[in-house]
Amino acid sequence: WMTKDVLDFSKDPEWYKIAAKTATCAEFSADGDAVFIGVGSEVWRISGLLGIKPGDPSTDSPGAPSIPSSITLTKLLFGSQQRVTGLGVDPNNANNLIVTVGNYGKTNYVYFSTDALGAGNFSSIQGNLPAMPVYDGMLEMNDSNVAIIATEYGVWSTANLFDTPANVVWTNENNDFPRVPSYMILQQTHANSSCTGVINSGNIYVCTHGRGIWRSENYQLPQDASVCDLPVGG
């Protein structure tokens, strides 16, 4: 289900049913038109979100809402039988999608596609990464070659994501970071702005099991030095 009213506190949010799937993780494209979801060991793309309009079936409609006509549901060609644990969409190109999977005793735990808005063919980019569950991943917003993942044993990264899959090299980033299961990783992609108050653009946040939330400022962008000039309403 999806709402476009999450920041409108003047009314109850109106929810639209966008797929009859039980998803355990989800990640939007930057333009907001597609969301990728993990469903068990499958990856699906829900497209056409920008086409949802007032009057489409929603929680404001009588009866059980149907899925809006603009929505298209596509199963991507993701062949792993392991449970999907996390998704990471390139903020600059939604065709680039990283998928992480769990379970013990397996060989491959990280996959990558460069046509996620199409058929969604995936290749393992396990490279030299130890065989361990991986719980989430992201692509750095200023350099799509950089991917950072949250794993059973802390945080790892690569700077050659688009190399031949077998040649992807992962580096342990656990300097001053606990070697603990890390379940979520994300980057602040909103620009620093004196108008919006955003001052942490580029910072990366990692959620761990039992050791709190950590922040990296390695990719932080310069602050906005301009003076905010908001329009004055009549």
Side-chain angles (χ1 to χ4, degrees), residues 50-185:
L50 294 180
I52 297 176
K53 57 188 183 299
D56 280 344
S58 72
T59 47
D60 282 356
S61 307
S66 58
I67 296 173
S69 59
S70 67
I71 296 299
T72 301
L73 185 64
T74 305
K75 183 179 179 181
L76 303 187
L77 299 177
F78 180 67
S80 173
Q81 297 304 305
Q82 294 153 252
R83 185 175 183 83
V84 175
T85 54
L87 302 162
V89 181
D90 187 342
N92 302 299
N93 182 354
N95 272 303
N96 301 326
L97 176 67
I98 191 168
V99 177
T100 62
V101 297
N103 304 107
Y104 289 94
K106 304 297 182 180
T107 302
N108 298 303
Y109 290 90
V110 191
Y111 293 82
F112 185 56
S113 174
T114 57
D115 68 337
L117 295 178
N121 294 282
F122 286 84
S123 298
S124 169
I125 53 170
Q126 186 74 16
N128 67 324
L129 186 71
M132 58 184 171
V134 180
Y135 300 115
D136 201 8
M138 54 153 280
L139 281 75
E140 207 280 312
M141 66 180 187
N142 291 301
D143 187 352
S144 297
N145 275 303
V146 174
I148 306 173
I149 55 176
T151 80
E152 180 75 1
Y153 296 105
V155 175
W156 294 65
S157 73
T158 181
N160 67 324
L161 180 61
F162 286 86
D163 203 339
T164 303
N167 295 334
V168 172
V169 176
W170 294 95
T171 301
N172 188 327
E173 298 289 357
N174 293 332
N175 296 328
D176 298 323
F177 183 85
R179 190 179 172 90
V180 296
S182 303
Y183 292 137
M184 183 181 295
I185 185 167

Side-chain angles (χ1 to χ4, degrees), residues 26-49:
E27 192 76 19
F28 281 88
S29 61
D31 64 3
D33 191 55
V35 61
F36 300 92
I37 60 174
V39 181
S41 60
E42 301 172 347
V43 178
W44 291 76
R45 182 183 69 244
I46 305 172
S47 307
L49 302 180

